[in-house]
Amino acid sequence: MIKNIVVLVSGGGTNLQALIDAQERGEIKNGKITCVISSKDGAYALERAKKHNIKAMAIPRKDYPDVVSYSKKLLEVLKEENADLIVYAGFMTILDKVLTDEYVNKMMNVHPALIPSFCGKGYYGLHVHEEALKKGVKVTGATVHFVNDICDGGPIILQKAVEIKNGDTPEILQKRVMEQAEWIILPKAVSLFCEDKIKVLDDNTTVIAD
Ligand code: GAR
């Protein structure tokens, strides 16, 4: 059975675009992006979905008093959409256990650093790259991992390293990490999931080779 992929977004949606492009090239095997949900009204990611005739909706976080009520609403919609895989692609909202416990090892997130470096609460978007530059690390990268109730703490699926160069700004580094890592490993992890090639034992994953 082809798996239904629901993508959660909050902003520009370049990772969503990478998924759409991979899908159109036939690189998402055994899966289809069926719906895109944004936590913010007017996110450009929603336009990207509409341009490719993918169902798109905003469920704004600000319309809900707390994270539990927001998570319950999302859970309801994800059930309606028959989601088999939920992908956080620049999704900036932490969700409650009421949701994450329903989709254990069925939700994945792309994080713009090599976890366990530069991750956890407060490490999102450009801040991650600011911190990497502040620390002076020479290598950073991106990680795709399963989501659990610990922020950026779930089992790691794929990682890719990216070099830091002299004179990098957070913006330059963010772009390099996206181009050389995120936009490659996110579609790859999604396809591997849809082909049932990711096995999870305790907190570790194994990718089954072809
Ligand atoms: C990406 O770099 C993504 O890894 C990061 O935000 C950016 C979103 O860009 N996500 C996080 O920091 C989540 N903790 P996009 O909207 O263009 O995909």
Side-chain angles (χ1 to χ4, degrees), residues 11-15 89-92 109-112 123-125 174 178 182:
T14 64
N15 277 291
F91 184 64
M92 301 303 189
N109 175 46
V110 60
H111 182 75
Y123 286 91
Y124 59 91
Q174 180 180 52
M178 284 175 159
E182 295 185 50

Side-chain angles (χ1 to χ4, degrees), residues 54-75:
I54 298 167
K55 183 172 177 182
M57 61 178 102
I59 305 180
R61 172 66 182 83
K62 65 170 175 45
D63 292 353
Y64 294 80
D66 52 51
V67 74
V68 175
S69 57
Y70 185 67
S71 301
K72 283 183 179 160
K73 172 66 186 173
L74 270 190
L75 179 59

Side-chain angles (χ1 to χ4, degrees), residues 10 22 37 56 73 109 143 151 154 193-195 207:
S10 300
I37 302 172
K73 172 66 186 173
N109 175 46
T143 303
C151 179
F193 178 91
C194 293
E195 296 174 279
V207 172

Side-chain angles (χ1 to χ4, degrees), residues 105-163:
N105 298 333
K106 289 181 178 170
M107 303 179 98
M108 56 173 75
N109 175 46
V110 60
H111 182 75
L114 294 173
I115 290 175
S117 288
F118 310 111
C119 65
K121 211 163 181 272
Y123 286 91
Y124 59 91
L126 215 49
H127 299 308
V128 179
H129 305 293
E130 282 165 5
E131 292 302 317
L133 290 174
K134 211 184 280 174
K135 183 64 195 170
V137 291
K138 305 303 176 207
V139 171
T140 185
T143 303
V144 179
H145 64 93
F146 284 120
V147 174
N148 62 15
D149 59 327
I150 303 159
C151 179
D152 297 327
I156 291 168
I157 305 165
L158 294 177
Q159 293 188 300
K160 193 162 186 291
V162 173
E163 197 189 338

